Amino acid sequence: MNSFEGYIISNYLSYPGKIGGGVIYLRIISLITFPIIICSILFFLVKKKIQNIKVFLFSFIFCLTVISIINFSKNIPPHATQAKDNWKFEKANYKKVKIEDNIFFIVADAYISQKYFNILYPNQENILFDTLNNKNFYLKENSFSSYPSTLLSLASIFNSNYFNDPNDDDYRKNIRNLDNGLDNSFLINALKKNNYNQNIISCHFKYQTRKKYCKDHLSYTSLLGDLSIVEAIYFYNSFNSVFRHSKKKIRSVFINLFPNNKSTLDENNNKNDTILKFLDKKIKVVKKTKNNYFNIVLKVPHAPFVVNSNCSWKNIPDYEDTVNITLIKDEETRVKGYIDNVNCVNSHLIKLISLIERYDDEAIIILLGDNGSHLKPFKHLKNLKLIKSPNMKLLRKYDRNGVLLSVGGGSKCLKNNEIKKINHPNLFRIILNCGDKKINSLINYQVEVESVFVQ
């Protein structure tokens, strides 16, 4: 049942990107048909007097194994284990270098550049940009990600390289079979070579439970994979879909009937901020030790747009609680929701920087957006009379690839002219070179706007 529904939905109905009547009709047919089939099979087993349950279980496991092997073999492209086939330039070297400073790599999902922010919100102040300038961080005003999607962008950064052909189907399968291009990347191997302790942390704003929290990850595979193996097996199943939606509705009704006042408070101080509390406990280790690498991923300002500017919870329709921005049809909702998310995450980022500086005034602090906002705010900009047809190509580039990129802290590695050459693929070439140009030379900067297969 799972295999059948998964095949139909993924190959013919483009789920989940284009949810429509086709998926709904398939759900209805499945919910009617499969109980009949199951009952018929059970009736057949009883009628035939098959007493030995082992035969039935063995048959089930055999069929499941065969299906899994077929699916697995279909998804492995040629040379999937050869990472070098994916990269355009010669790999960067991971060597023992003269660097031991603590590195804080903070990724705010889909955070836009200063230039694009000023285009989108010409009358609004961004306190994060002001804070970074006041603290003498290098803030790149008009920065672009090399790719417009999370998986491509992060893999390019971590490997300090570009992909051969991001539009090729075999390549897309390849990148998913190579530790996501992250766990076995140039960056992670270089950190291991230099005896760094690795800390991967993700921080979330979950609307359905009205919870703000962070959690540790042992690898980037677990960070990017948001489904457990059981959820993945039953993801396409119609009964599981009904269960998920029912659970969502019940939880939403429960929260509306019994609102948790604590979850709707303005979290303007560290005492009430569960995210800052968690990060404080993790980061304070740098008071006594060096060679710590923290990758802190904040899942905002990316959609869903569930918080107000002061970080209190909004009340939004169920269909807007989605990470797929294209499913939020109203453009003004996207534009307004995004700035609210930005203002909320700004307060967390500013406090996080102060937290790091309190424990270590010689750290390397990197703030980055992995890809653009994908808001498609073109009607909004036309209404502001800020857009003309010749500018559309550039605005698409801003929207898909315009990202925050800033580096600061008291590290001696940052006190050189090369820091102004930072961009996504050269970021860690420069950081890990620590002023030594002989270790890894910089590569030419490229921006791919159209390749969006993971968002």
Side-chain angles (χ1 to χ4, degrees), residues 342-367:
V342 165
N343 289 331
C344 174
V345 79
N346 278 352
S347 64
H348 286 79
L349 290 171
I350 291 168
K351 291 172 188 173
L352 178 54
I353 293 170
S354 297
L355 196 65
I356 295 167
E357 291 174 334
R358 188 203 316 164
Y359 293 128
D360 184 2
D361 58 4
E362 294 183 346
I364 297 172
I365 305 173
I366 305 161
L367 284 87

Side-chain angles (χ1 to χ4, degrees), residues 41-53 55:
I41 292 172
L42 291 174
F43 179 76
F44 171 79
L45 292 173
V46 172
K47 189 176 180 181
K48 291 292 183 181
K49 297 182 180 180
I50 297 179
Q51 301 294 331
N52 193 344
I53 194 68
V55 176

Side-chain angles (χ1 to χ4, degrees), residues 112 115-124 335 338 373 375 377-378 380-381 384 386 399:
I112 58 176
K115 176 76 172 178
Y116 190 40
F117 182 90
N118 292 334
I119 292 172
L120 270 180
Y121 308 103
N123 301 317
Q124 301 214 37
V335 173
Y338 184 80
S373 59
L375 291 174
F378 306 124
H380 169 81
L381 293 174
L384 293 176
L386 294 173
D399 193 49

Side-chain angles (χ1 to χ4, degrees), residues 121-336:
Y121 308 103
N123 301 317
Q124 301 214 37
E125 182 184 13
N126 189 312
I127 59 172
L128 176 63
F129 297 150
D130 294 340
T131 300
L132 294 173
N133 287 321
N134 291 337
K135 289 180 176 289
N136 295 318
F137 274 60
Y138 174 66
L139 174 62
K140 199 161 189 175
E141 181 188 9
N142 194 19
S143 176
F144 294 99
S145 62
S146 297
Y147 298 95
S149 63
T150 297
L151 182 57
L152 290 175
S153 179
L154 288 182
S156 176
I157 293 167
F158 276 52
N159 289 280
S160 293
N161 216 322
Y162 296 102
F163 300 109
N164 276 328
D165 184 5
N167 296 306
D168 180 71
D169 286 338
D170 281 344
Y171 150 78
R172 296 182 183 187
K173 293 175 183 176
N174 231 0
I175 188 61
R176 292 185 177 278
N177 284 282
L178 294 168
D179 300 320
N180 294 310
L182 305 179
D183 289 317
N184 193 31
S185 62
F186 154 67
L187 170 61
I188 300 305
N189 282 312
L191 292 171
K192 289 177 182 177
K193 188 77 174 179
N194 288 277
N195 301 315
Y196 269 77
N197 300 311
Q198 182 174 304
N199 301 273
I200 307 170
I201 301 169
S202 65
C203 298
H204 305 258
F205 290 68
K206 287 293 184 183
Y207 181 70
Q208 286 299 324
T209 55
R210 304 297 197 274
K211 287 184 179 178
K212 302 166 189 175
Y213 64 93
C214 299
K215 61 181 180 179
D216 291 303
H217 298 270
L218 296 176
S219 69
Y220 285 98
T221 304
S222 66
L223 174 65
L224 295 175
D226 58 351
L227 293 176
S228 70
I229 188 166
V230 174
E231 289 171 324
I233 290 171
Y234 291 103
F235 181 74
Y236 290 111
N237 185 283
S238 290
F239 292 98
N240 185 46
S241 178
V242 170
F243 174 75
R244 290 199 314 267
H245 285 88
S246 300
K247 187 170 69 171
K248 215 173 180 182
K249 290 288 185 185
I250 292 169
R251 188 179 285 158
S252 179
V253 170
F254 181 81
I255 287 173
N256 289 330
L257 289 175
F258 306 101
N260 182 354
N261 292 329
K262 290 182 180 179
S263 68
T264 58
L265 288 175
D266 178 1
E267 294 187 356
N268 278 334
N269 58 73
N270 289 359
K271 291 181 181 179
N272 293 333
D273 197 324
T274 53
I275 288 177
L276 264 295
K277 275 185 177 181
F278 182 95
L279 295 176
D280 191 356
K281 286 181 181 179
K282 291 291 179 181
I283 290 171
K284 65 174 58 176
V285 68
V286 302
K287 287 174 67 176
K288 300 178 181 179
T289 63
K290 291 287 188 181
N291 292 85
N292 292 291
Y293 165 77
F294 285 85
N295 188 184
I296 302 169
V297 180
L298 293 159
K299 294 294 188 173
V300 283
H302 196 290
F305 306 124
V306 296
V307 290
N308 295 304
S309 289
N310 65 0
C311 288
S312 61
W313 294 105
K314 289 182 176 179
N315 288 316
I316 63 169
D318 187 53
Y319 61 83
E320 287 184 10
D321 183 20
T322 174
V323 295
N324 191 336
I325 298 175
T326 59
L327 297 180
I328 303 174
K329 299 300 182 184
D330 183 66
E331 191 176 295
E332 288 301 320
T333 299
R334 299 197 299 268
V335 173
K336 176 62 170 61

Side-chain angles (χ1 to χ4, degrees), residues 376-387:
K376 299 181 181 177
F378 306 124
K379 291 179 183 176
H380 169 81
L381 293 174
K382 281 182 180 178
N383 292 338
L384 293 176
K385 298 181 179 177
L386 294 173
I387 179 174

